[in-house]
Amino acid sequence: MAFYVYLLCSVTSFGCAVFLGRAYFRSRSRLLFWSSICFVGVALNNILLSVDFLLGPSYDLTMIRAWLILGGMAAMVYGLIWDTV
């Protein structure tokens, strides 16, 4: 059951990234671009979380997932700061 929840979270995050990316190409708002990059990181994190759950305790993808989500959030923070300055 948990695997499906993680999988649905990754599909939802990827969908958000796609919609934000499409909105960026229409309006050229930089904040939409950075938000799209953030959601790509969140989607990749959720995909790896699903894979990590499937592989079991013998494999640990925690560090890779942490770097992915850190990169996504750093892109979002950079975009927020860049647009307000």
Side-chain angles (χ1 to χ4, degrees), residues 6-7 10-11 14 42-52:
Y6 296 145
L7 195 61
S10 61
V11 169
F14 185 72
V42 171
L44 290 175
N45 180 46
N46 286 331
I47 289 171
L48 282 183
L49 183 62
S50 302
V51 170
D52 199 11

Side-chain angles (χ1 to χ4, degrees), residues 6-71:
Y6 296 145
L7 195 61
L8 283 175
C9 288
S10 61
V11 169
T12 303
S13 301
F14 185 72
C16 288
V18 168
F19 286 127
L20 286 167
R22 287 179 58 193
Y24 165 72
F25 283 115
R26 269 189 255 133
S27 68
R28 297 292 180 186
S29 172
R30 291 182 301 191
L31 189 57
L32 290 172
F33 173 74
W34 293 114
S35 298
S36 176
I37 296 297
C38 175
F39 272 95
V40 167
V42 171
L44 290 175
N45 180 46
N46 286 331
I47 289 171
L48 282 183
L49 183 62
S50 302
V51 170
D52 199 11
F53 184 77
L54 276 181
L55 293 177
S58 59
Y59 294 97
D60 189 19
L61 302 175
T62 304
M63 287 303 294
I64 298 171
R65 289 189 294 119
W67 281 107
L68 281 174
I69 198 69
L70 178 67

